[in-house]
Amino acid sequence: AMVAATVANNGEQMTPYLVSRTLDPDLNEVSTTSKKVARTPIDSATAKSLSSLMQTAVTEGTGTNAQVAGVQVAGKTGTAETGTDSGPTTWFVGFAGTDINKPQIALAVVLDGNADTEGNAFGDCAGRLPDPHAGSGGRVAPIPAAAQAARWDTGSHWHCR
């Protein structure tokens, strides 16, 4: 998800955080986490090219099942052979928002032992992802947003239930 967020943020990798603000017992704000750029691993021109290719993958390519009505989605699918009878590991990484130039969520979905190598299983996961209308202050943060949509696993990815 951090890779997708970096592409979405024009090549800037943001420092991840878990707590956006702290409140006292009376609900007064005690502290706020500032969004910080950790580094810029790719230049903005490369990020824009990748974003365009990822959008095409969802509109015309292997990621078409990740389309969500009213939301623009950019993503990349992948398949890894595991050498076992349980099937390959398939994945989708991407970002989305009502305006793809100002995405509001970055995500990675990993399906272990998935016999569907054409990306069809991602449609079910995408339909249960959090509402991207919950703004993030103009930066996409690679953090989980809704436990009911999927199970957070170590690393930076979701497992669809």
Side-chain angles (χ1 to χ4, degrees), residues 128-129 146-152 158-161:
R128 293 186 286 146
L129 288 172
Q148 75 275 11
R151 176 177 55 85
W152 180 248
W158 288 90
H159 282 273
C160 194
R161 286 188 189 175

Side-chain angles (χ1 to χ4, degrees), residues 70-84:
V71 177
Q72 295 178 318
V73 181
K76 172 71 179 98
T77 62
T79 304
E81 297 297 327
T82 60
T84 67

Side-chain angles (χ1 to χ4, degrees), residues 35 103-104 131-139:
K35 295 175 176 84
Q104 296 155 312
D131 183 349
H133 301 282
S136 63
R139 295 283 183 174

Side-chain angles (χ1 to χ4, degrees), residues 84-156:
T84 67
D85 292 335
S86 64
T89 297
T90 55
W91 53 268
F92 176 86
V93 61
F95 52 92
T98 54
D99 178 353
I100 200 67
N101 296 312
K102 296 179 185 176
Q104 296 155 312
I105 186 171
L107 62 117
V109 177
V110 177
L111 302 171
D112 294 319
N114 183 30
D116 173 15
T117 59
E118 299 301 315
N120 295 323
F122 299 118
D124 181 53
C125 285
R128 293 186 286 146
L129 288 172
D131 183 349
H133 301 282
S136 63
R139 295 283 183 174
V140 177
I143 56 175
Q148 75 275 11
R151 176 177 55 85
W152 180 248
D153 194 17
T154 56
S156 294

